[in-house]
Amino acid sequence: MNYMTQHLLEAIEINKHRLSLYSDLTGKRSRKVSRALIYSESFSLLSAFTLDNIAKFWQKRGVPVMVHEFISMEEIPEFSSSFTDQIGITEQFPKLNTLSIQNDIMKLYLKSEYKKLDIYIEKILMDMQEFSKHYCMIRHILESVRRSNNLAQMHIVKAKELGVLSPKLFCHTLMLSQILIIHSSKFLDKWAHPIQKDGVPIIYQDVPYIAPTPISY
């Protein structure tokens, strides 16, 4: 199965459907956000198919590379026209130094400091909770990096146990593709902020929560 490709196709289908729903709620102001989201997912399809096919090398040998990295879009909330509460909604877009965060994560990534990277991202996510309605895409990317980081360790150990070629380089390639968009994801959140400020939960309800590790491996 092409896990990453399937995840992206599900996301594109859902966001295309919700584009018109948000557009009706916002007088078309949300179209820029929806289209940017769909474009980024569509662009990612170019590499997803290749990564999925490379990952099958390890999957066929008992190492579930790319099997658990992506969460089903069935996990996202049902569409709602408004937030259930106003907690954490701010007049101005909250400040967050995403470039510094990206650089810090990159340093740990380059040193293969898996445990420290997990701890660092957990701290950042905790600090962001106060503004959870606004840091939606940034949070999603950070959760993705954290899960890929934790799974990379598991895959490497599993491959060693089975006497299979280490998937470290492959896992790090996937992680790098996620790390490099941490800072740029901030712009999507900034565009969404005026809409969220008006009570429409765009992005907030369009991406699934990504747990640090899967329930079963």
Side-chain angles (χ1 to χ4, degrees):
M1 179 176 175
N2 294 330
Y3 293 92
M4 183 177 181
T5 302
Q6 182 61 33
H7 170 76
L8 289 170
L9 288 173
E10 289 175 1
I12 291 167
E13 182 180 358
I14 288 171
N15 288 315
K16 281 183 175 179
H17 172 69
R18 293 188 173 189
L19 183 152
S20 59
L21 299 178
Y22 285 127
S23 182
D24 290 343
L25 287 170
T26 64
K28 299 184 178 180
R29 289 187 301 129
S30 61
R31 283 182 173 267
K32 177 181 179 179
V33 177
S34 295
R35 285 173 175 163
L37 192 55
I38 293 166
Y39 173 80
S40 65
E41 292 161 346
S42 299
F43 183 77
S44 296
L45 279 173
L46 297 174
S47 58
F49 183 75
T50 300
L51 291 172
D52 275 326
N53 278 285
I54 294 172
K56 289 174 183 176
F57 170 86
W58 287 281
Q59 293 168 10
K60 291 175 181 177
R61 291 161 176 79
V63 185
V65 173
M66 293 279 276
V67 173
H68 303 292
E69 275 78 355
F70 303 97
I71 307 301
S72 171
M73 291 302 289
E74 294 179 358
E75 298 297 320
I76 65 172
E78 291 291 325
F79 181 86
S80 175
S81 60
S82 62
F83 287 112
T84 56
D85 60 62
Q86 300 296 305
I87 297 173
I89 295 179
T90 61
E91 188 64 27
Q92 300 296 325
F93 185 68
K95 292 183 178 181
L96 183 69
N97 193 338
T98 48
L99 187 57
S100 176
I101 291 171
Q102 180 172 304
N103 289 337
D104 289 343
I105 289 175
M106 182 64 76
K107 290 175 184 176
L108 293 170
Y109 159 81
L110 290 172
K111 295 178 181 177
S112 298
E113 294 277 10
Y114 302 112
K115 297 295 184 184
K116 289 182 180 179
L117 181 51
D118 179 53
I119 293 170
Y120 177 80
I121 292 178
E122 178 63 24
K123 179 184 181 302
I124 297 299
L125 289 171
M126 290 293 291
D127 292 343
M128 289 168 56
Q129 279 188 348
E130 182 181 356
F131 305 111
S132 61
K133 290 184 173 69
H134 299 315
Y135 288 151
C136 308
M137 185 52 62
I138 298 169
R139 183 179 66 249
H140 182 65
I141 301 302
L142 288 174
E143 288 176 351
S144 295
V145 174
R146 178 180 60 173
R147 188 177 179 96
S148 292
N149 170 69
N150 293 336
L151 281 167
Q153 301 173 75
M154 299 166 73
H155 296 329
I156 292 166
V157 170
K158 184 70 171 178
K160 187 175 181 179
E161 291 174 349
L162 296 175
V164 175
L165 177 70
S166 175
K168 181 176 180 177
L169 179 59
F170 178 85
C171 293
H172 277 224
T173 299
L174 176 62
M175 286 174 61
L176 182 61
S177 70
Q178 297 167 331
I179 293 169
L180 290 175
I181 62 172
I182 292 172
H183 179 58
S184 60
S185 67
K186 180 178 184 176
F187 295 100
L188 194 56
D189 280 333
K190 287 184 74 172
W191 294 341
H193 177 259
I195 299 164
Q196 295 164 344
K197 187 174 65 174
D198 289 345
V200 179
I202 193 168
I203 304 183
Y204 177 83
Q205 63 182 359
D206 303 318
V207 292
Y209 165 68
I210 304 175
T213 55
I215 296 174
S216 61
Y217 179 77

